[in-house]
Amino acid sequence: MSLMTPDERIDRIRGDHWIAFDRATIVLNRLTSLMEMPQQSRMPGLMVYGSSGIGKTMIAKRMASKYPTQYNAQLGATKTPILLVQAPPAPDERRFYQHILATIGAPMWGRHTVSELEVRALSHLRDMDLRMLMIDEVHNLLAGSYREQRRFLNMLRFLANDLCASLVVFGVNEALETVRGDDQLARRLDEHYLPLWEDDVEFSRLIQTLIAAMALEQRSGLTVASLRTILKVTGGVTSRVFIMIKSLAIDAIETGEERITDEAVQAWQPVWTKHAWSIPRQPVATFG
């Protein structure tokens, strides 16, 4: 029996907390290997790409949390091994540098040239002993012209070179060819693709992991038919899978069932937002 009340358990399920699963662990291990690599003038990096909602941002945030900012009282210095920032809505160097400075708590007020912002940002990042720069939503650069995209990618490559830091970018599939368009950057970034979930053993393990994390008091022994229903309803999108399992778990607590049943899976209705419906549906494979 849980020591928490039903309301406390429901609040915990609704909360934003990490639930480990194999696919995410593989990416985290690759990123950890980059962090442990001896620093050199041309550090390797990684591009993680896949459909919207597949779990890229979740992985990025988890990686950043593993290497938190630390303050050394003796040296009077703050060290930040990893900096995670979101790409601006368009490939705008000024806004990007301003975002970096705001993220690290060193905003520059008033009007400054791009060069001034660059110098200030680089100075702070060097003092922080940065080892990895992670850029989420890198596909935002697609909102700019070809020339603007090239300038933005040149800037990212320059930052990584100057700081001797690993560059890691996260984006949707459409951004891949754009990043590959910068030959020097593409040679330095390995690629890791996160596909939509399919009807296989890996998806079954994901569902088992999620249900176990819900800490229900009874075992939920779902059939293969229920797994296929979950896959069909969610389209194999990680964020939708999480929403569905969390919703079913909350219903199980509120009704006193304390387990997710096949009947509940079949009866569940999706509550996706308008944005979620824009995620392209792709065909999925079936068992054996």
Side-chain angles (χ1 to χ4, degrees):
M1 292 288 291
S2 173
L3 297 178
M4 294 189 291
T5 67
D7 286 343
E8 290 172 336
R9 293 165 62 204
I10 289 173
D11 287 343
R12 183 180 183 279
I13 290 173
R14 286 174 174 158
D16 186 13
H17 57 278
W18 174 253
I19 300 175
F21 54 97
D22 293 347
R23 183 179 290 184
T25 300
I26 291 172
V27 181
L28 290 171
N29 287 341
R30 293 193 68 172
L31 295 175
T32 301
S33 295
L34 289 176
M35 285 295 291
E36 294 174 349
M37 187 171 293
Q39 208 160 15
Q40 51 192 282
S41 58
R42 294 291 185 270
M43 292 291 291
L46 185 67
M47 177 170 184
V48 181
Y49 67 103
S51 298
S52 179
I54 204 65
K56 301 178 297 293
T57 298
M58 178 173 57
I59 293 171
K61 290 181 177 179
R62 177 61 176 177
M63 184 63 187
S65 72
K66 293 176 62 179
Y67 296 87
T69 296
Q70 294 183 336
Y71 177 72
N72 188 317
Q74 292 181 333
L75 298 177
T78 299
K79 301 299 180 183
T80 303
I82 293 180
L83 181 64
L84 171 61
V85 294
Q86 182 174 310
D92 185 322
E93 296 167 83
R94 178 186 301 278
R95 292 182 68 173
F96 184 68
Y97 282 125
Q98 289 174 332
H99 192 183
I100 286 179
L101 290 167
T103 300
I104 63 179
M108 290 185 70
W109 308 112
R111 186 70 178 175
H112 299 278
T113 66
V114 172
S115 295
E116 290 172 334
L117 292 169
E118 174 190 293
V119 169
R120 179 76 180 275
L122 284 171
S123 176
H124 282 292
L125 294 176
R126 290 192 199 99
D127 291 342
M128 292 160 52
D129 195 23
L130 190 72
R131 297 295 307 276
M132 179 178 287
L133 177 61
M134 297 198 300
I135 314 297
D136 196 16
E137 308 285 349
V138 73
H139 46 265
N140 286 347
L141 61 84
L142 296 173
S145 66
Y146 177 83
R147 178 182 176 85
E148 290 171 333
Q149 293 174 19
R150 298 274 73 77
R151 286 179 58 89
F152 193 81
L153 292 174
N154 285 339
M155 176 197 65
L156 294 183
R157 178 159 41 82
F158 165 74
L159 284 174
N161 289 345
D162 193 271
L163 297 167
C164 296
S166 290
L167 176 66
V168 179
V169 298
F170 300 82
V172 298
N173 301 328
E174 291 76 9
L176 181 61
E177 291 304 319
T178 302
V179 173
R180 285 177 175 171
D182 186 305
D183 291 337
Q184 295 184 56
L185 188 61
R187 283 196 293 268
R188 198 175 311 169
L189 296 182
D190 287 339
E191 298 171 2
H192 191 107
Y193 175 52
L194 292 172
L196 294 173
W197 295 93
E198 297 185 349
D199 196 350
D200 55 18
V201 174
E202 185 184 22
F203 183 68
S204 177
R205 286 200 300 266
L206 170 67
I207 299 303
Q208 292 172 19
T209 299
L210 294 181
I211 292 177
M214 301 299 102
L216 298 174
E217 295 179 356
Q218 302 294 329
R219 182 177 177 275
S220 301
L222 297 180
T223 63
V224 171
S226 287
L227 296 180
R228 287 174 173 163
T229 296
I230 294 171
L231 187 62
K232 180 180 179 181
V233 169
T234 63
V237 177
T238 307
S239 61
R240 291 181 176 182
V241 175
F242 273 58
I243 290 171
M244 184 172 181
I245 296 300
K246 285 187 172 187
S247 177
L248 287 167
I250 290 171
D251 288 344
I253 294 173
E254 290 178 336
T255 61
E257 182 72 35
E258 287 296 341
R259 65 190 181 101
I260 297 175
T261 64
D262 294 316
E263 293 76 16
V265 170
Q266 298 300 325
W268 192 82
Q269 295 295 318
V271 288
W272 319 127
T273 63
K274 183 182 297 185
H275 172 73
W277 276 116
S278 68
I279 299 172
R281 297 295 293 269
Q282 299 183 20
V284 293
T286 60
F287 282 114

